[in-house]
């Protein structure tokens, strides 16, 4: 039916039967959505109604795509958990109603934006290298959360992320040198059985490592290729030379060399690769795992070369180590023929007992005034305090201090409410790890899984109940488990070849992976469903 409007225009009207009212053919979005919901079943209708979408801070499609690209670059620049990057971006794209697909490869994110109207797509490559920055990751997650909760627009969030990436590091270069020295000095007695004299030498080695890393390797592409090997050789050479003083009773080679290179151990890299493989991200996880193993082989090779290089010039120390290893050996196996001289037994005289074969001789030689610790250090029975391992009560001071300094080294601001949470979670993980190691022997993977489960439960509960960021609050404790697990597996230098060190690190990180995933599954079984992706391990 056609009628004339007041302005002379034609208006199409329809009389609705049974109501006696008229309605215009103007599409109402609410009516369209209601009609679409009417044709859905119950489950599809409920899923559609609970779907998160942007209603208040709507912006153009170009701004939303720019936000996703900036978010991808910021996640890689600040060291976000790589197995969660794809889910973060896909969740943000779904909530922003952007047709996008993402593929994450080591150092690269491939993004593809589709357009149904034009029937085409746009593909962009985002390449970025970065390092772990806990403070920036927390701010990034708050910005991401504000976008998916429809608190700010994608355009405003893009500006915040760009400003965040342009901020200078919160720790200056000299501060990173100081933190490297203190971290190695503290982990030496805590994880590797070092004494008061060993910790300062280990700290000096870590300081030299940090100087080479930030002042030399970062400016020379040629030296960066052999940086790990040369540093491991220097630290091992110096540690072996110092351990030759006073027959190894003053300085411990295993403690100094292990703690000296703790700053370049690929513990976080192996952990990331293990998490990605467990998340079925095979390409990225396998590439990182192989690289981390080769990297560990370089470190083990460098430690062995440095020790052997010193022993090549010091024959006296070489003979001492050989003699000590023979004394420690509990069994000697000989293969040959036994000759029975002056035998009075008729069985032996008649050759009724075989005298040819392999013979094992067990012997016990007591080291009179010396004791070999599980970490491989030589200690006297009653040494002075500066040559003794630290007593147990010192852990109540060293563990919180190490956790605090480790968080600061990973660029966590000192005046932040997240920092005490990180320290508490890390201390709880160390305590559980130590307690489990007291009852479970020679299984660093199971012990690490128990410690990681504790970290995961505390971190995820903190995120769900107090609104914090689970990942940043858990990183310090997880990184603490790597040297602790290696010390339970025999230390770094005590494992011998780089293959043994790599195997020990894989065992520890697999245990950590299982513990983290189990804790997250347990926590997220309860409570409401998350609208965005999980920003956790």
């Amino acid at each position: 039916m056609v009628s004339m409007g007041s302005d002379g225009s034609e208006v199409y009207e329809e009389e609705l039967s049974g109501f006696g009212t008229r309605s215009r053919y103007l599409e109402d979005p609410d009516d369209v959505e209601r009609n679409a919901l009417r044709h859905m079943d119950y489950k599809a209708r409920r899923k559609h109604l609970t779907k998160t979408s942007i209603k208040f801070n709507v912006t153009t499609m170009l701004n939303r795509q720019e936000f996703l690209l900036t978010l991808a670059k910021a996640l890689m620049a600040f060291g976000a958990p790589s197995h969660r990057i794809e889910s973060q971006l896909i969740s943000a794209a779904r909530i922003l109603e952007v047709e996008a697909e993402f593929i994450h490869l080591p150092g690269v994110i491939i993004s593809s934006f589709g357009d149904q109207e034009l029937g085409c797509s746009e593909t962009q490559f985002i390449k970025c290298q970065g390092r772990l920055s806990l403070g920036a990751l927390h701010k990034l997650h708050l910005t991401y959360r504000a976008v998916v909760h429809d608190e700010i627009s994608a355009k405003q969030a893009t500006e915040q992320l760009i400003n965040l990436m342009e901020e200078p590091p919160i720790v200056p270069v000299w501060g990173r040198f100081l933190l490297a020295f203190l971290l190695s000095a503290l982990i030496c007695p805590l994880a590797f059985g070092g004494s008061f004299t060993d910790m300062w030498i280990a700290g000096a080695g870590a300081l030299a490592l940090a100087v080479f890393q930030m002042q030399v390797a970062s400016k020379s592409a040629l030296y960066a290729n052999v940086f790990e090997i040369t540093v491991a050789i220097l630290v091992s050479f110096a540690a072996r030379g110092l351990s030759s003083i006073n027959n190894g009773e003053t300085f411990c080679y295993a403690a100094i060399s292990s703690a000296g290179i703790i700053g370049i151990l690929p513990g976080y890299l192996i952990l990331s690769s293990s998490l990605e493989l467990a998340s079925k991200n095979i390409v990225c996880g396998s590439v990182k795992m192989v690289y981390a193993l080769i990297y560990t082989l370089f470190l083990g090779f460098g430690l062995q070369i440095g020790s052997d290089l010193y022993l090549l010039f010091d024959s006296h120390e070489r003979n001492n180590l050989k003699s000590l290893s023979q004394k420690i050996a509990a069994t000697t196996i000989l293969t040959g023929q036994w000759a029975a001289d002056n035998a009075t037994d008729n069985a032996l005289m008649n050759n009724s007992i075989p005298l040819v074969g392999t013979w094992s001789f067990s012997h016990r030689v007591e080291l009179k005034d010396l004791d070999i610790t599980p970490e491989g250090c030589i200690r006297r029975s009653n040494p002075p305090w500066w040559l003794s391992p630290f007593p147990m009560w010192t852990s109540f001071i060293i563990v919180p201090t190490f956790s605090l300094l480790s968080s600061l080294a990973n660029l966590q601001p000192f005046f932040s409410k997240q920092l005490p949470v990180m320290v508490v979670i890390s201390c709880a993980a160390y305590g559980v790890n130590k307690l489990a190691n007291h009852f479970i022997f020679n299984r660093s993977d199971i012990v690490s899984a128990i410690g990681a489960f504790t970290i995961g439960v505390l971190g995820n509960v903190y995120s769900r109940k107090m609104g914090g960021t689970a990942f940043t609050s858990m990183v310090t404790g997880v990184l603490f488990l790597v040297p602790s697990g290696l010390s339970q597996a025999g230390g770094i230098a005590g494992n011998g070849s780089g293959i043994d060190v790599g195997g020990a690190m894989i065992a520890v990180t697999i245990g950590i992976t299982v513990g983290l995933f189990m804790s997250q599954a347990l926590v997220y079984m309860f409570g409401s469903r998350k609208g965005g992706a999980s920003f956790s391990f």
Side-chain angles (χ1 to χ4, degrees):
M1 182 176 178
V2 181
S3 61
M4 300 298 296
S6 59
D7 55 353
S9 61
E10 295 181 351
V11 178
Y12 292 86
E13 298 178 349
E14 177 187 7
E15 183 173 352
L16 300 178
S17 59
F19 292 92
T21 59
R22 300 178 183 272
S23 63
R24 297 183 177 183
Y25 273 120
L26 300 177
E27 290 188 357
D28 188 352
D30 294 334
D31 292 338
V32 173
E33 184 178 2
R34 189 177 296 109
N35 290 329
L37 290 174
R38 186 178 294 114
H39 297 287
M40 296 181 182
D41 59 4
Y42 173 73
K43 291 184 178 180
R45 189 183 307 159
R46 182 178 179 183
K47 182 178 180 181
H48 180 80
L49 292 175
T50 57
K51 178 182 176 181
T52 306
S53 61
I54 303 300
K55 297 181 179 179
F56 303 103
N57 295 280
V58 181
T59 184
T60 63
M61 180 61 67
L62 185 62
N63 288 334
R64 284 178 272 175
Q65 293 180 356
E66 184 67 23
F67 166 72
L68 292 174
L69 295 175
T70 308
L71 177 64
K73 186 175 182 180
L75 287 171
M76 288 194 296
F78 298 140
S82 53
H83 65 294
R84 301 289 187 191
I85 289 180
E86 282 189 29
S87 61
Q88 291 280 118
L89 296 174
I90 292 174
S91 176
R94 175 179 56 82
I95 294 174
L96 292 173
E97 298 178 351
V98 178
E99 295 183 13
E101 293 291 337
F102 301 94
I103 298 177
H104 178 223
L105 300 174
V108 178
I109 290 181
I110 304 174
S111 60
S112 176
F113 299 105
D115 192 338
Q116 288 184 346
E117 296 179 358
L118 300 178
C120 61
S121 63
E122 178 186 2
T123 303
Q124 297 195 26
F125 292 80
I126 307 165
K127 185 176 181 180
C128 182
Q129 298 291 338
R131 58 155 298 177
L132 189 61
S133 178
L134 298 181
L137 274 179
H138 178 64
K139 294 178 182 178
L140 182 149
H141 181 58
L142 293 180
T143 302
Y144 166 81
R145 182 186 292 175
V147 171
V148 299
H149 289 176
D150 201 7
E151 297 174 0
I152 61 175
S153 66
K155 184 178 180 180
Q156 294 173 321
T158 303
E159 296 175 354
Q160 293 181 8
L161 293 181
I162 292 176
N163 294 332
L164 186 62
M165 287 189 287
E166 292 177 351
E167 290 182 358
I170 61 174
V171 179
V173 175
W174 64 267
R176 295 176 63 181
F177 290 159
L178 179 61
L179 288 172
F181 174 85
L182 294 176
L183 286 174
S184 289
L186 291 175
I187 201 66
C188 180
L190 189 63
F192 303 110
S195 63
F196 183 78
T197 56
D198 295 331
M199 62 184 295
W200 304 112
I201 304 300
L207 177 61
L209 184 150
V211 171
F212 276 101
Q213 185 178 25
M214 286 183 273
Q215 298 296 328
V216 182
S218 61
K219 300 177 181 179
S220 173
L222 293 177
Y223 178 70
N225 296 329
V226 294
F227 161 69
E228 295 85 6
I229 298 179
T230 55
V231 169
I233 290 175
L234 291 176
V235 172
S236 179
F237 185 88
R240 181 60 73 187
L242 291 172
S243 66
S244 64
I245 300 175
N246 196 19
N247 294 326
E249 300 175 22
T250 304
F251 297 100
C252 176
Y253 166 76
I256 294 175
S257 58
S258 298
I261 64 169
I262 202 72
I264 57 174
L265 273 182
Y268 183 69
L269 184 61
I270 291 185
L271 177 62
S272 299
S273 62
S274 179
L275 290 168
E276 293 206 11
L277 290 174
S279 302
K280 307 300 184 294
N281 191 349
I282 298 179
V283 175
C284 199
S286 58
V287 169
K288 288 186 177 181
M289 179 66 77
V290 172
Y291 170 74
L293 289 179
I294 299 299
Y295 186 94
T296 307
L297 290 178
F298 286 158
L299 293 181
F301 179 76
L303 290 176
Q304 194 66 40
I305 288 296
S307 176
D308 293 344
L309 186 62
Y310 179 81
L311 295 178
L312 185 64
F313 297 104
D314 192 345
S315 59
H316 178 69
E317 178 66 13
R318 184 170 65 249
N319 294 331
N320 287 340
L321 290 177
K322 184 178 180 179
S323 175
L324 183 62
S325 63
Q326 292 175 351
K327 290 181 180 180
I328 295 175
T331 303
T332 301
I333 299 177
L334 300 176
T335 302
Q337 183 175 359
W338 182 274
D341 295 336
N342 300 325
T344 57
D345 193 343
N346 292 330
L348 291 175
M349 295 297 294
N350 296 331
N351 294 326
S352 60
I353 299 178
L355 300 179
V356 178
T358 301
W359 308 85
S360 298
F361 299 93
S362 298
H363 66 97
R364 293 182 180 179
V365 178
E366 296 183 0
L367 304 177
K368 294 183 179 179
D369 294 329
L370 297 177
D371 184 21
I372 308 297
T373 65
E375 293 82 7
C377 299
I378 301 175
R379 304 297 184 195
R380 287 193 171 274
S381 56
N382 293 310
W385 65 270
W386 60 85
L387 297 180
S388 303
F390 279 41
M392 184 62 190
W393 62 266
T394 57
S395 300
F396 293 95
I397 301 175
I398 298 178
V399 173
T401 306
F402 180 85
S403 302
L404 175 66
L405 296 178
S406 179
S407 301
L408 295 178
N410 289 319
L411 304 182
Q412 174 66 27
F414 184 79
F415 297 101
S416 61
K417 68 175 185 179
Q418 289 268 107
L419 187 59
V421 178
M422 296 177 184
V423 175
V424 170
I425 293 178
S426 179
C427 293
Y430 179 82
V432 172
N433 207 17
K434 202 74 174 176
L435 183 64
N437 191 51
H438 183 72
F439 295 99
I440 304 174
F441 302 101
N442 299 325
R443 291 303 302 268
S444 59
D445 50 352
I446 297 179
V447 172
S448 299
I450 297 174
F453 182 81
T454 304
I455 293 175
V457 169
L458 295 177
N460 285 292
V461 168
Y462 168 70
S463 173
R464 297 291 302 228
K465 300 300 182 183
M466 301 182 184
T469 306
F471 174 75
T472 55
S473 62
M474 294 158 58
V475 166
T476 302
V478 170
L479 295 181
F480 202 173
L481 291 180
V482 176
S484 299
L486 283 178
S487 66
Q488 294 155 13
I492 300 172
N495 271 290
S497 65
I499 297 178
D500 298 330
V501 178
M505 292 188 68
I506 290 177
V508 172
T509 52
I510 286 178
I512 295 175
T513 301
V514 173
L516 290 174
F517 280 163
M518 289 181 62
S519 64
Q520 189 175 22
L522 177 65
V523 172
Y524 283 89
M525 286 172 59
F526 307 98
S528 59
R529 180 181 176 271
K530 288 177 68 70
S534 174
F535 192 62
S536 178
F537 276 108

